[in-house]
Amino acid sequence: MLKRSLSIAGHRTSIALELEFWDGLEALAAHRQLPLTALIREIDETRQSANLSSSLRIAVLEFYRSGGKN
């Protein structure tokens, strides 16, 4: 697990994810031409789950399931 501290929507938060999921989020952010923090903020604002880390993992999974097209 790798923990990163970020500012999301004006507040500091720490997110712990496996390195592979951080790599996937960075790939998704690059694909969408967004800074990583903007992507995480967007996922945070639209998530269905109460857990941000789970929502981030699901976003990476969906990105790779779509062949990197979402």
Coordinates of all heavy atoms in Angstrom, one line a residue:
M1 N 0.8 -1.2 0.0 CA 0.0 0.0 0.0 C 0.9 1.2 0.0 O 1.9 1.3 0.7 CB -0.9 0.1 1.2 CG -2.0 -1.0 1.3 SD -3.3 -0.6 0.2 CE -4.6 -0.7 1.2
L2 N 0.4 2.2 -0.7 CA 1.1 3.5 -0.8 C 0.1 4.5 -0.4 O -1.0 4.6 -1.0 CB 1.6 3.7 -2.2 CG 2.3 5.0 -2.5 CD1 3.6 5.1 -1.7 CD2 2.7 5.1 -4.0
K3 N 0.4 5.3 0.6 CA -0.5 6.4 1.0 C 0.0 7.7 0.5 O 1.2 8.0 0.5 CB -0.5 6.4 2.6 CG -1.5 7.4 3.1 CD -1.5 7.4 4.6 CE -2.5 6.4 5.1 NZ -2.7 6.6 6.6
R4 N -0.9 8.5 -0.1 CA -0.6 9.8 -0.6 C -1.6 10.8 0.1 O -2.8 10.5 0.3 CB -0.8 9.9 -2.1 CG 0.2 9.1 -2.9 CD 0.1 9.4 -4.3 NE 1.0 8.5 -5.1 CZ 1.1 8.6 -6.4 NH1 0.3 9.4 -7.1 NH2 1.9 7.8 -7.0
S5 N -1.1 12.0 0.4 CA -1.9 13.1 0.9 C -2.2 14.0 -0.2 O -1.2 14.5 -0.9 CB -1.2 13.8 2.1 OG -1.0 12.9 3.1
L6 N -3.4 14.4 -0.3 CA -3.9 15.3 -1.4 C -4.9 16.3 -0.9 O -5.5 16.1 0.1 CB -4.6 14.5 -2.5 CG -3.9 13.3 -3.1 CD1 -4.9 12.4 -3.8 CD2 -2.8 13.7 -4.0
S7 N -5.0 17.4 -1.6 CA -6.1 18.3 -1.4 C -7.2 18.1 -2.4 O -7.0 18.2 -3.6 CB -5.6 19.8 -1.5 OG -4.8 20.1 -0.4
I8 N -8.4 17.7 -1.9 CA -9.5 17.4 -2.7 C -10.7 18.3 -2.3 O -11.1 18.3 -1.1 CB -10.0 15.9 -2.6 CG1 -8.8 15.0 -2.9 CG2 -11.1 15.6 -3.5 CD1 -8.3 15.0 -4.3
A9 N -11.2 19.1 -3.2 CA -12.3 20.0 -2.9 C -12.0 20.9 -1.7 O -12.9 21.1 -0.8 CB -13.6 19.2 -2.8
G10 N -10.8 21.3 -1.6 CA -10.5 22.3 -0.5 C -10.1 21.6 0.8 O -9.9 22.4 1.8
H11 N -10.1 20.3 0.9 CA -9.7 19.7 2.2 C -8.6 18.6 1.9 O -8.6 18.0 0.9 CB -10.9 19.1 2.9 CG -11.5 17.9 2.3 ND1 -12.4 18.1 1.2 CD2 -11.4 16.6 2.5 CE1 -12.8 16.9 0.8 NE2 -12.2 16.0 1.5
R12 N -7.8 18.5 2.9 CA -6.7 17.5 2.9 C -7.2 16.1 3.2 O -8.0 16.0 4.1 CB -5.6 17.9 3.8 CG -4.8 19.2 3.5 CD -4.0 19.2 2.3 NE -2.8 18.3 2.5 CZ -2.0 18.0 1.5 NH1 -2.2 18.5 0.3 NH2 -1.0 17.2 1.7
T13 N -6.8 15.2 2.5 CA -7.1 13.8 2.7 C -6.0 12.9 2.4 O -5.1 13.2 1.6 CB -8.4 13.4 2.0 OG1 -8.8 12.1 2.4 CG2 -8.1 13.3 0.5
S14 N -5.9 11.7 3.0 CA -4.9 10.7 2.7 C -5.6 9.5 2.1 O -6.7 9.1 2.6 CB -4.2 10.3 4.0 OG -3.4 11.3 4.5
I15 N -5.1 9.0 1.0 CA -5.6 7.9 0.3 C -4.6 6.8 0.3 O -3.4 7.1 -0.2 CB -6.1 8.2 -1.1 CG1 -7.1 9.4 -1.0 CG2 -6.7 7.0 -1.8 CD1 -7.4 10.0 -2.4
A16 N -4.9 5.6 0.7 CA -4.0 4.4 0.6 C -4.5 3.5 -0.4 O -5.6 3.0 -0.4 CB -3.9 3.7 2.0
L17 N -3.6 3.2 -1.4 CA -3.9 2.3 -2.5 C -2.7 1.5 -2.9 O -1.6 2.0 -2.6 CB -4.4 3.0 -3.8 CG -5.7 3.8 -3.8 CD1 -5.8 4.6 -5.1 CD2 -6.9 2.9 -3.6
E18 N -2.9 0.4 -3.5 CA -1.8 -0.4 -4.0 C -1.1 0.4 -5.1 O -1.8 1.1 -5.8 CB -2.3 -1.8 -4.5 CG -2.8 -2.7 -3.4 CD -4.3 -2.3 -3.0 OE1 -4.9 -1.4 -3.6 OE2 -4.7 -2.9 -2.0
L19 N 0.2 0.2 -5.3 CA 0.9 0.9 -6.3 C 0.3 0.7 -7.7 O 0.2 1.7 -8.5 CB 2.4 0.4 -6.3 CG 3.3 1.1 -7.4 CD1 3.3 2.6 -7.2 CD2 4.7 0.5 -7.3
E20 N -0.2 -0.4 -8.0 CA -0.8 -0.7 -9.3 C -2.0 0.2 -9.5 O -2.3 0.6 -10.7 CB -1.2 -2.2 -9.4 CG 0.0 -3.1 -9.4 CD 0.5 -3.5 -8.0 OE1 0.0 -3.0 -7.0 OE2 1.5 -4.3 -8.0
F21 N -2.8 0.4 -8.5 CA -4.0 1.3 -8.6 C -3.6 2.8 -8.8 O -4.2 3.5 -9.6 CB -4.9 1.1 -7.5 CG -5.8 -0.1 -7.6 CD1 -5.5 -1.2 -6.8 CD2 -6.8 -0.2 -8.5 CE1 -6.2 -2.4 -7.0 CE2 -7.5 -1.4 -8.7 CZ -7.3 -2.5 -7.9
W22 N -2.5 3.2 -8.1 CA -2.0 4.6 -8.4 C -1.5 4.7 -9.8 O -1.8 5.7 -10.5 CB -0.8 4.9 -7.4 CG -1.3 5.2 -6.0 CD1 -1.0 4.5 -4.9 CD2 -2.1 6.3 -5.6 NE1 -1.6 5.2 -3.8 CE2 -2.3 6.3 -4.2 CE3 -2.7 7.4 -6.3 CZ2 -3.0 7.2 -3.5 CZ3 -3.4 8.3 -5.6 CH2 -3.6 8.2 -4.2
D23 N -0.8 3.7 -10.3 CA -0.4 3.7 -11.7 C -1.6 3.8 -12.6 O -1.6 4.5 -13.6 CB 0.4 2.4 -12.0 CG 1.8 2.4 -11.3 OD1 2.2 3.5 -10.9 OD2 2.4 1.3 -11.3
G24 N -2.6 3.0 -12.3 CA -3.9 3.0 -13.2 C -4.5 4.4 -13.1 O -5.0 4.8 -14.2
L25 N -4.6 5.0 -12.0 CA -5.2 6.3 -11.9 C -4.4 7.3 -12.7 O -5.0 8.2 -13.3 CB -5.3 6.8 -10.4 CG -6.4 6.1 -9.6 CD1 -6.2 6.5 -8.1 CD2 -7.8 6.6 -10.1
E26 N -3.1 7.2 -12.6 CA -2.3 8.2 -13.4 C -2.5 8.0 -14.9 O -2.5 8.9 -15.6 CB -0.8 8.0 -13.0 CG -0.6 8.6 -11.6 CD 0.8 8.2 -11.0 OE1 1.6 7.5 -11.7 OE2 1.1 8.7 -9.9
A27 N -2.6 6.7 -15.3 CA -2.9 6.4 -16.7 C -4.3 7.0 -17.1 O -4.4 7.5 -18.2 CB -2.8 4.9 -17.0
L28 N -5.3 6.8 -16.3 CA -6.6 7.3 -16.6 C -6.6 8.8 -16.6 O -7.2 9.4 -17.5 CB -7.6 6.8 -15.5 CG -9.0 7.3 -15.6 CD1 -9.6 7.1 -16.9 CD2 -9.9 6.7 -14.5
A29 N -5.9 9.5 -15.7 CA -5.8 10.9 -15.7 C -5.1 11.4 -17.0 O -5.6 12.4 -17.6 CB -5.1 11.4 -14.4
A30 N -4.0 10.8 -17.4 CA -3.3 11.1 -18.6 C -4.2 11.0 -19.8 O -4.3 11.8 -20.7 CB -2.0 10.3 -18.7
H31 N -4.9 9.8 -19.8 CA -5.9 9.6 -21.0 C -6.9 10.7 -21.1 O -7.3 11.1 -22.2 CB -6.5 8.2 -20.8 CG -7.6 7.9 -21.8 ND1 -7.2 7.5 -23.1 CD2 -8.9 7.9 -21.7 CE1 -8.4 7.3 -23.7 NE2 -9.4 7.5 -22.9
R32 N -7.4 11.1 -19.9 CA -8.5 12.2 -19.9 C -7.9 13.6 -19.9 O -8.6 14.5 -19.9 CB -9.4 11.9 -18.7 CG -10.0 10.5 -18.8 CD -11.3 10.3 -18.1 NE -12.2 11.5 -18.0 CZ -12.9 11.8 -17.0 NH1 -12.8 11.0 -15.9 NH2 -13.7 12.8 -17.0
Q33 N -6.6 13.7 -19.9 CA -5.9 14.9 -19.9 C -6.3 15.8 -18.7 O -6.6 17.0 -18.8 CB -6.1 15.7 -21.2 CG -5.5 14.9 -22.4 CD -5.7 15.6 -23.7 OE1 -6.5 16.6 -23.9 NE2 -5.0 15.1 -24.7
L34 N -6.3 15.2 -17.5 CA -6.6 15.8 -16.3 C -5.4 15.7 -15.3 O -4.8 14.6 -15.3 CB -7.8 15.2 -15.6 CG -9.2 15.3 -16.3 CD1 -10.2 14.4 -15.6 CD2 -9.6 16.8 -16.3
P35 N -5.2 16.6 -14.4 CA -4.3 16.4 -13.3 C -4.9 15.3 -12.4 O -6.1 15.1 -12.4 CB -4.3 17.7 -12.6 CG -4.9 18.7 -13.5 CD -5.8 18.0 -14.4
L36 N -4.1 14.5 -11.8 CA -4.5 13.4 -10.9 C -5.5 13.9 -9.9 O -6.6 13.3 -9.6 CB -3.3 12.7 -10.3 CG -3.7 11.5 -9.4 CD1 -4.3 10.4 -10.2 CD2 -2.4 11.0 -8.8
T37 N -5.3 15.1 -9.3 CA -6.2 15.6 -8.2 C -7.6 15.9 -8.8 O -8.6 15.7 -8.2 CB -5.6 16.8 -7.5 OG1 -5.2 17.8 -8.5 CG2 -4.4 16.4 -6.7
A38 N -7.6 16.4 -10.1 CA -8.9 16.7 -10.7 C -9.7 15.4 -10.9 O -10.9 15.4 -10.8 CB -8.7 17.5 -12.0
L39 N -9.0 14.4 -11.4 CA -9.6 13.1 -11.6 C -10.2 12.5 -10.3 O -11.4 12.1 -10.2 CB -8.7 12.1 -12.2 CG -9.2 10.7 -12.4 CD1 -10.3 10.6 -13.4 CD2 -8.1 9.7 -12.8
I40 N -9.4 12.6 -9.3 CA -9.8 12.0 -8.0 C -11.0 12.9 -7.4 O -12.0 12.3 -6.9 CB -8.7 12.0 -7.0 CG1 -7.6 10.9 -7.4 CG2 -9.2 11.7 -5.6 CD1 -6.4 10.9 -6.6
R41 N -11.0 14.2 -7.6 CA -12.1 15.0 -7.2 C -13.4 14.7 -7.9 O -14.4 14.5 -7.3 CB -11.8 16.5 -7.4 CG -12.9 17.4 -6.9 CD -12.6 18.9 -7.1 NE -12.6 19.2 -8.5 CZ -11.5 19.6 -9.2 NH1 -10.4 19.8 -8.6 NH2 -11.6 19.9 -10.5
E42 N -13.3 14.4 -9.2 CA -14.4 14.1 -10.0 C -15.0 12.7 -9.6 O -16.2 12.6 -9.4 CB -14.0 14.0 -11.5 CG -15.1 13.6 -12.4 CD -14.6 13.5 -13.9 OE1 -14.2 14.5 -14.4 OE2 -14.7 12.4 -14.4
I43 N -14.1 11.7 -9.3 CA -14.6 10.4 -8.8 C -15.2 10.6 -7.5 O -16.3 10.0 -7.2 CB -13.4 9.4 -8.8 CG1 -12.9 9.1 -10.2 CG2 -13.8 8.1 -8.1 CD1 -11.6 8.4 -10.3
D44 N -14.6 11.4 -6.6 CA -15.2 11.7 -5.3 C -16.6 12.3 -5.3 O -17.5 11.9 -4.6 CB -14.2 12.6 -4.5 CG -14.6 12.8 -3.1 OD1 -15.2 11.9 -2.4 OD2 -14.4 13.9 -2.5
E45 N -16.8 13.2 -6.2 CA -18.1 13.9 -6.4 C -19.2 13.0 -7.0 O -20.3 13.3 -6.7 CB -17.9 15.2 -7.2 CG -17.1 16.2 -6.5 CD -16.7 17.4 -7.4 OE1 -17.0 17.4 -8.6 OE2 -16.2 18.4 -6.9
T46 N -18.8 12.0 -7.7 CA -19.8 11.2 -8.4 C -19.9 9.8 -7.9 O -20.7 9.0 -8.4 CB -19.5 11.1 -9.9 OG1 -18.2 10.5 -10.1 CG2 -19.6 12.5 -10.5
R47 N -19.2 9.4 -6.8 CA -19.1 8.1 -6.4 C -20.4 7.6 -5.8 O -21.2 8.4 -5.2 CB -18.0 7.9 -5.4 CG -18.1 8.6 -4.1 CD -16.8 8.4 -3.3 NE -16.6 9.5 -2.3 CZ -16.4 9.3 -1.0 NH1 -16.4 8.1 -0.6 NH2 -16.3 10.3 -0.2
Q48 N -20.7 6.3 -5.9 CA -21.8 5.6 -5.3 C -21.5 5.0 -4.0 O -22.4 4.8 -3.2 CB -22.3 4.5 -6.3 CG -22.7 5.0 -7.7 CD -23.9 6.0 -7.7 OE1 -24.9 5.7 -7.1 NE2 -23.8 7.1 -8.4
S49 N -20.2 4.7 -3.8 CA -19.8 4.1 -2.6 C -19.4 5.1 -1.5 O -19.0 6.2 -1.8 CB -18.5 3.2 -2.9 OG -17.9 2.8 -1.7
A50 N -19.5 4.7 -0.2 CA -19.1 5.6 0.9 C -17.6 5.6 1.0 O -17.1 6.5 1.6 CB -19.7 5.1 2.2
N51 N -16.9 4.7 0.4 CA -15.5 4.6 0.5 C -14.8 5.1 -0.8 O -14.9 4.6 -1.8 CB -15.1 3.1 0.8 CG -13.7 2.9 1.1 OD1 -12.8 3.3 0.3 ND2 -13.4 2.4 2.2
L52 N -14.0 6.2 -0.6 CA -13.3 6.8 -1.8 C -12.3 5.8 -2.4 O -12.2 5.7 -3.6 CB -12.6 8.1 -1.4 CG -11.8 8.8 -2.4 CD1 -12.6 9.1 -3.7 CD2 -11.2 10.1 -1.9
S53 N -11.5 5.1 -1.5 CA -10.5 4.2 -2.1 C -11.1 3.1 -2.9 O -10.6 2.8 -4.0 CB -9.7 3.5 -0.9 OG -9.0 4.5 -0.2
S54 N -12.3 2.6 -2.5 CA -13.0 1.6 -3.3 C -13.4 2.2 -4.6 O -13.3 1.6 -5.7 CB -14.2 1.0 -2.6 OG -13.8 0.3 -1.4
S55 N -14.0 3.4 -4.6 CA -14.4 4.1 -5.8 C -13.3 4.3 -6.8 O -13.4 4.2 -8.0 CB -15.1 5.4 -5.5 OG -16.3 5.2 -4.7
L56 N -12.1 4.6 -6.3 CA -10.9 4.8 -7.1 C -10.5 3.5 -7.8 O -10.2 3.5 -9.0 CB -9.8 5.4 -6.3 CG -10.0 6.8 -5.8 CD1 -8.9 7.2 -4.8 CD2 -10.2 7.9 -6.9
R57 N -10.5 2.4 -7.0 CA -10.2 1.1 -7.6 C -11.2 0.7 -8.7 O -10.8 0.2 -9.7 CB -10.2 0.1 -6.5 CG -9.0 0.2 -5.5 CD -9.0 -1.0 -4.5 NE -8.0 -0.9 -3.6 CZ -8.1 -0.3 -2.4 NH1 -9.2 0.2 -2.0 NH2 -7.0 -0.2 -1.6
I58 N -12.5 1.0 -8.4 CA -13.5 0.7 -9.4 C -13.3 1.5 -10.7 O -13.4 1.0 -11.8 CB -14.9 0.9 -8.8 CG1 -15.2 -0.2 -7.8 CG2 -16.0 0.9 -9.9 CD1 -16.4 0.0 -6.9
A59 N -12.9 2.8 -10.6 CA -12.7 3.6 -11.7 C -11.5 3.1 -12.6 O -11.6 3.0 -13.8 CB -12.4 5.0 -11.3
V60 N -10.5 2.6 -11.9 CA -9.3 2.0 -12.6 C -9.8 0.7 -13.3 O -9.5 0.5 -14.5 CB -8.2 1.8 -11.7 CG1 -7.1 0.9 -12.4 CG2 -7.6 3.1 -11.2
L61 N -10.5 -0.1 -12.6 CA -11.0 -1.4 -13.2 C -11.9 -1.1 -14.4 O -11.7 -1.7 -15.5 CB -11.8 -2.1 -12.1 CG -12.5 -3.4 -12.6 CD1 -11.4 -4.4 -13.0 CD2 -13.3 -4.0 -11.5
E62 N -12.8 -0.2 -14.3 CA -13.6 0.2 -15.5 C -12.8 0.7 -16.6 O -13.1 0.4 -17.8 CB -14.7 1.2 -15.1 CG -15.7 0.6 -14.2 CD -16.7 1.6 -13.6 OE1 -16.6 2.8 -13.8 OE2 -17.7 1.1 -13.0
F63 N -11.8 1.5 -16.4 CA -10.9 2.1 -17.4 C -10.2 0.9 -18.2 O -10.3 0.9 -19.4 CB -9.9 3.0 -16.8 CG -8.8 3.5 -17.7 CD1 -9.2 4.3 -18.8 CD2 -7.5 3.2 -17.5 CE1 -8.2 4.8 -19.6 CE2 -6.5 3.7 -18.3 CZ -6.9 4.5 -19.4
Y64 N -9.7 0.0 -17.5 CA -9.0 -1.1 -18.1 C -10.0 -2.1 -18.8 O -9.7 -2.6 -19.9 CB -8.0 -1.8 -17.2 CG -6.8 -1.0 -17.0 CD1 -6.5 -0.4 -15.7 CD2 -5.9 -0.8 -18.0 CE1 -5.4 0.4 -15.6 CE2 -4.8 0.0 -17.8 CZ -4.5 0.6 -16.6 OH -3.4 1.4 -16.4
R65 N -11.1 -2.3 -18.2 CA -12.1 -3.2 -18.8 C -12.6 -2.6 -20.2 O -13.0 -3.3 -21.1 CB -13.4 -3.3 -17.9 CG -13.2 -4.4 -16.9 CD -14.5 -4.6 -16.2 NE -14.4 -5.7 -15.3 CZ -15.3 -6.0 -14.4 NH1 -16.4 -5.2 -14.2 NH2 -15.2 -7.0 -13.6
S66 N -12.6 -1.3 -20.3 CA -13.1 -0.6 -21.5 C -12.0 -0.5 -22.5 O -12.1 0.1 -23.6 CB -13.6 0.8 -21.2 OG -12.5 1.7 -20.9
G67 N -10.8 -1.1 -22.2 CA -9.7 -1.0 -23.1 C -9.0 0.3 -23.1 O -8.3 0.7 -24.1
G68 N -9.2 1.0 -22.0 CA -8.5 2.4 -21.9 C -9.2 3.4 -22.7 O -8.6 4.4 -23.1
K69 N -10.6 3.3 -22.8 CA -11.3 4.2 -23.7 C -12.3 5.1 -22.9 O -13.1 5.8 -23.5 CB -12.1 3.4 -24.7 CG -11.2 2.7 -25.7 CD -12.0 1.8 -26.6 CE -11.0 1.0 -27.4 NZ -11.7 -0.1 -28.1
N70 N -12.3 5.0 -21.6 CA -13.3 5.9 -20.9 C -12.7 7.1 -20.2 O -11.6 7.3 -20.2 CB -14.2 5.1 -19.9 CG -13.4 4.7 -18.7 OD1 -12.2 4.8 -18.6 ND2 -14.2 4.1 -17.8

